[in-house]
Amino acid sequence: MTVTKKVIHINYLKPKEGMVAHELGHAFVNINNLYENDELKVIMQDVLDNSTEITPIFVNDDEYACVKSYKFIREYQGRTYILYKDYLNKKIKLDYTELEEYISCGFEMFVINPKLLYTKDKELYDFIKKGGLTNESV
């Protein structure tokens, strides 16, 4: 997926259920500078502060640091783009902006199964529901 001039390109003929919503979640973050949104900062920092552990996750033969949280719908939601070995060697300290899949997976679930998102992560659900991804609520 690439976002240029507010255009999203998805390179799949038959996207999986939720894929378009997932990629829109990334686009909302980038276009609206959502890591600067104070309400979202608090939500995401809380997830990081209350995470249960950091483990490796394999993606395309690379091993990345993955945050574990009871709020996540699936493991990938905690995936970072920091190599696990760099995290272990303390070369990089995690902060909330490293949770790049948190919002996109959350928005995906908001579209395909909002009840599940509400049950797992009411704060993110409420933020999305009131228009937070488009900065309409701020």
Side-chain angles (χ1 to χ4, degrees):
M1 191 243 0
T2 56
V3 178
T4 55
K5 296 182 184 179
K6 299 185 181 181
V7 175
I8 299 171
H9 303 274
I10 298 177
N11 301 321
Y12 295 93
L13 292 176
K14 295 180 181 179
K16 296 177 187 172
E17 180 182 33
M19 182 183 285
V20 173
H22 180 101
E23 299 308 335
L24 277 173
H26 286 297
F28 284 134
V29 170
N30 295 329
I31 292 167
N32 296 315
N33 298 314
L34 288 179
Y35 291 137
E36 302 303 317
N37 179 297
D38 290 335
E39 183 180 358
L40 188 58
K41 281 182 193 178
V42 170
I43 292 169
M44 292 181 72
Q45 189 61 52
D46 181 62
V47 167
L48 192 58
D49 291 345
N50 292 299
S51 63
T52 55
E53 62 182 323
I54 312 289
T55 61
I57 186 172
F58 291 91
V59 180
N60 300 327
D61 298 326
D62 289 314
E63 193 175 38
Y64 294 95
C66 185
V67 175
K68 302 292 182 185
S69 172
Y70 66 93
K71 290 187 168 196
F72 294 161
I73 306 298
R74 62 179 191 266
E75 180 182 40
Y76 191 78
Q77 195 169 1
R79 182 252 173 119
T80 71
Y81 289 81
I82 295 174
L83 292 175
Y84 188 64
K85 65 179 179 168
D86 290 343
Y87 169 75
L88 287 178
N89 293 330
K90 308 286 186 215
K91 291 181 182 174
I92 299 175
K93 183 179 187 283
L94 293 182
D95 87 354
Y96 74 94
T97 62
E98 305 299 339
L99 295 174
E100 294 183 43
E101 298 298 332
Y102 173 69
I103 297 166
S104 57
C105 288
F107 185 65
E108 172 186 344
M109 201 50 53
F110 183 83
V111 170
I112 64 173
N113 190 345
K115 260 186 174 169
L116 180 59
L117 179 62
Y118 181 89
T119 301
K120 296 286 283 180
D121 192 345
K122 185 176 182 318
E123 292 79 12
L124 183 57
Y125 173 89
D126 288 343
F127 180 79
I128 294 170
K129 184 165 177 65
K130 71 180 183 178
L133 293 185
T134 58
N135 271 331
E136 292 175 10
S137 66
V138 252

